[in-house]
Amino acid sequence: MIAFDQVRVRYPASDRDALAGVSFTASPGQLTAVVGPNGSGKSTLVRALLGRIPLQQGRVTVDGTATALLSRRDLARRVAVVSQREEPAFPLSVRDYVALGRFPWQHAWSPPSPQDLDAAERALREADVVPLADRRTDALSGGEWQRVRVARALAQATDAIVLDEPTTFLDIAHEMACFELLAALAHAGRCVVVISHQLNLVARFADRVVLLARGHLVAEGAPGDVMRGETLERVYEWPLVVSRDPAVGAPTLVPLRKRHAPLP
């Protein structure tokens, strides 16, 4: 379980909080999606979890233990994170890159154990990147790179996984496959947190949705309770309609065009 308790963060030289006392819990067995416009504080939540920014107030806990009390290795054994941006210092084969996910479980200078090798191969299969295993990371497309990064997180074999925009650069089929995989991991008992702009995918797959705006928690609950037209229109500052997907009954967001006066 990952819990944010009255977390407040303000970046240097900023005139407002990036997170203004945000509290919510992501539980095992559920896919929790964090959504909101650009600048709402979504990625700041990940930085707060990793201890990359100081907290002015509150705390972040994993299974009841404050992350500030955990070493980097202990935190990496509990939570795998796919950040929004990452570039390796030098190219590796995809298989070797995915195997880096086993680092928190290894001893210094020791070779990979059979368990490490099995976990890495399983992660390659789960993320559907086995055909890429012998490619170099600098020879991957944007979508392939995203899937490989998810595979590395899966190789960590943690009870919780946090992903910041994991479907960036992915086509429709791989977007669906990614969310199918994350939903399956959650329903198998893991705590899965996804930060996403893909509201329609979130509505279809998430068990709980956390909506942020300007660092504040606006709404939290089941997709049908959070994805309401009047709420989303106010938060995103754009006209839209929320209807129901006739295939699965999930909320579906349809942005509308604004009316503009014709050019002279």
Side-chain angles (χ1 to χ4, degrees):
M1 181 176 70
I2 300 173
F4 294 84
D5 182 15
Q6 292 297 312
V7 172
R8 185 168 72 86
V9 172
R10 178 173 293 193
Y11 291 107
S14 176
D15 60 355
R16 69 176 181 86
D17 290 338
L19 293 173
V22 170
S23 297
F24 71 91
T25 297
S27 300
Q30 291 189 332
L31 174 55
T32 301
V34 181
V35 301
N38 293 334
S40 60
K42 303 185 300 298
S43 293
T44 301
L45 285 172
V46 180
R47 298 186 189 105
L49 169 65
L50 294 175
R52 291 180 178 170
I53 49 174
L55 306 185
Q56 276 70 47
Q57 172 188 309
R59 66 176 190 159
V60 184
T61 62
V62 177
D63 294 333
T65 302
T67 55
L69 302 178
L70 295 172
S71 68
R72 294 288 185 182
R73 182 180 292 270
D74 286 340
L75 181 58
R77 287 180 172 182
R78 299 179 186 220
V79 184
V81 176
V82 179
S83 59
Q84 193 174 88
R85 290 181 293 273
E86 177 191 358
E87 289 293 337
F90 48 86
L92 298 169
S93 75
V94 166
R95 179 173 277 106
D96 287 343
Y97 177 81
V98 171
L100 291 177
R102 300 302 303 164
F103 179 76
W105 302 99
Q106 295 170 347
H107 299 291
W109 312 113
S110 62
S113 68
Q115 292 82 2
D116 293 328
L117 297 176
D118 287 345
E121 290 299 320
R122 184 167 57 252
L124 288 166
R125 292 193 301 271
E126 288 180 334
D128 192 25
V129 292
V130 171
L132 305 177
D134 296 321
R135 295 258 300 273
R136 283 170 35 127
T137 54
D138 61 349
L140 301 176
S141 70
E144 290 168 340
W145 176 231
Q146 285 294 92
R147 290 155 55 202
V148 167
R149 294 174 65 219
V150 171
R152 188 193 64 176
L154 295 176
Q156 279 181 242
T158 55
D159 290 333
I161 180 170
V162 177
L163 307 100
D164 192 354
E165 297 293 349
T167 58
T168 301
F169 303 119
L170 298 188
D171 57 35
I172 293 172
H174 285 109
E175 283 183 336
M176 287 292 294
C178 181
F179 269 87
E180 291 274 12
L181 171 59
L182 298 178
L185 291 171
H187 297 158
R190 291 198 198 187
C191 171
V192 181
V193 180
V194 179
I195 294 169
S196 180
H197 284 294
Q198 300 287 0
L199 293 180
N200 287 329
L201 284 173
V202 163
R204 175 174 285 195
F205 287 98
D207 299 294
R208 297 192 66 75
V209 178
V210 175
L211 176 61
L212 300 179
R214 297 180 180 272
H216 294 268
L217 193 152
V218 176
E220 177 189 5
D225 297 330
V226 174
M227 287 189 62
R228 297 181 177 275
E230 63 275 13
T231 301
L232 297 180
E233 203 168 71
R234 172 169 51 87
V235 166
Y236 285 91
E237 300 179 350
W238 195 268
L240 52 87
V241 171
V242 176
S243 59
R244 289 283 171 181
D245 184 331
V248 296
T252 300
L253 181 148
V254 180
L256 304 178
R257 293 188 62 179
K258 285 187 175 179
R259 294 183 181 275
H260 295 283
L263 296 174

